[in-house]
Amino acid sequence: MQSPQDYVDSVLLQVRPQLLDRIHELADRGSPLPEPRELALLLGAGLPAAGPVELDPHFADLGPFYDSAGALHQLGNVTKQALASRRTNETVLAMRTGDGQWLYPAWQFTGDGGIRPALVPVLKALRGLDRWAAGVWLVAAHPDLSGSSPRQALRAGADPATVACLARRDAAALAA
């Protein structure tokens, strides 16, 4: 595993050319450049947090997490009402902590304003199930997926309809 310093160095190597291109683009258009501190804060806002320190270790595989502000950013700066609607409709995986904070697993976001498309039918199939239970189901090894978690299987290209079928079956068994 990479050290934190090696990881940061790797990220900076990849960010630098993109950042230079965007800064040159802004400068060529005569647009004012943001203050370096403001830009650093904006870039940092895109990073998920580890989650609450008191989070049960049973849920550790669900993280890292975004808070509501981070989720708003990940969803293309939608309104707070739109995010609340997504929580209500269960089209985003959101879990509430004991102190009322909403947490959103970072792995569900595409990075360009959406939720991973393969996850959408699975979230729909898990509707009505406690959100913490739904999250654990998504990251736990599943015997019908050769021991991979549904999250891993979807990332590896598993058919979302098949995974959604397993989700419906398992959610019904958990609810019984």
Side-chain angles (χ1 to χ4, degrees):
M1 179 165 196
Q2 267 185 322
S3 74
Q5 183 61 53
D6 289 343
Y7 178 80
V8 168
D9 290 344
S10 177
V11 169
L12 290 174
L13 276 173
Q14 294 180 39
V15 167
R16 185 176 174 76
Q18 296 174 46
L19 184 59
L20 276 171
D21 288 346
R22 294 299 300 269
I23 296 300
H24 282 293
E25 193 177 291
L26 289 170
D28 290 346
R29 291 184 181 167
S31 297
L33 297 176
E35 289 295 321
R37 178 167 164 65
E38 289 176 23
L39 183 57
L41 290 171
L42 182 62
L43 292 172
L47 293 173
V53 175
E54 69 278 1
L55 187 64
D56 186 317
H58 183 70
F59 301 117
D61 289 340
L62 287 170
F65 299 96
Y66 286 108
D67 60 10
S68 290
L72 289 169
H73 178 75
Q74 288 299 313
L75 292 170
N77 296 313
V78 297
T79 64
K80 289 179 183 179
Q81 293 81 4
L83 182 59
S85 176
R86 285 182 172 222
R87 282 194 312 264
T88 301
N89 295 325
E90 298 179 7
T91 58
V92 64
L93 183 58
M95 290 84 75
R96 197 165 208 164
T97 63
D99 65 359
Q101 180 184 5
W102 287 103
L103 298 178
Y104 304 82
W107 47 263
Q108 70 184 309
F109 299 105
T110 61
D112 62 1
I115 300 292
R116 295 190 180 282
L119 186 60
V120 173
V122 180
L123 289 176
K124 189 177 201 178
L126 293 169
R127 277 190 183 146
L129 191 62
D130 173 81
R131 297 291 77 194
W132 286 103
V136 169
W137 185 87
L138 283 161
V139 299
H142 198 288
D144 293 337
L145 297 170
S146 303
S148 291
S149 71
R151 173 187 164 199
Q152 291 168 327
L154 290 169
R155 278 244 168 124
D159 177 30
T162 301
V163 178
C165 184
L166 291 173
R168 270 188 297 283
R169 182 196 72 195
D170 292 353
L174 287 169

